[in-house]
Amino acid sequence: MTDAMTGLRILIVEDEAIIAMMAEDMLLELGGDVVGIETSLATALDRAGRGDFDIALLDMNLNGDNSLPVAERLRALGRPFVFTTGYGNAGRPAGFDRVPLVCKPYRTTDLAQAIVAAMTAQPAG
């Protein structure tokens, strides 16, 4: 599974610094390349439109803001992403049932499996 992640450019969208650093360490261990960490809805929306990442880890709650606009933009652009949350499936937005979700606290294997699933999934129409 690590081979599938080697060189993969990953954007982390997470408002909690310690969680972002933990995810970054795990992703680097898996062979991924973390290209940035966005901590707010505004900066995440801006970054979503750039072509400098292959996949995003998207926290469902950014400083009290729902990250649904970022998810919608990523989906519209055909960019794969994984939801991350401390709330389980309860906060998953309607219409995003096929997007992999990883619950906090992260486990390296869960992150890897979700990323591989997102990268190999057919885009939702």
Side-chain angles (χ1 to χ4, degrees), residues 93-107:
F96 287 89
D97 298 340
R98 295 184 359 196
V99 175
L101 182 139
V102 178
C103 292
K104 301 173 191 178
Y106 303 141
R107 291 184 343 171

Side-chain angles (χ1 to χ4, degrees), residues 50-71:
R50 297 189 207 165
D52 62 348
F53 62 94
D54 300 311
I55 188 167
L57 293 185
L58 178 58
D59 185 6
M60 293 171 62
N61 182 338
L62 297 171
N63 294 310
D65 291 324
N66 186 309
S67 64
L68 181 58
V70 180

Side-chain angles (χ1 to χ4, degrees), residues 13-18 20 38-40 59 61-64 104:
V13 179
E14 171 62 59
D15 60 337
E16 298 284 339
I18 192 77
E38 299 300 340
T39 61
S40 73
D59 185 6
N61 182 338
L62 297 171
N63 294 310
K104 301 173 191 178

Side-chain angles (χ1 to χ4, degrees), residues 48-55 73-81:
R50 297 189 207 165
D52 62 348
F53 62 94
D54 300 311
I55 188 167
R73 184 158 198 192
L74 290 169
R75 181 165 62 183
L77 293 169
R79 295 185 165 269
F81 62 96

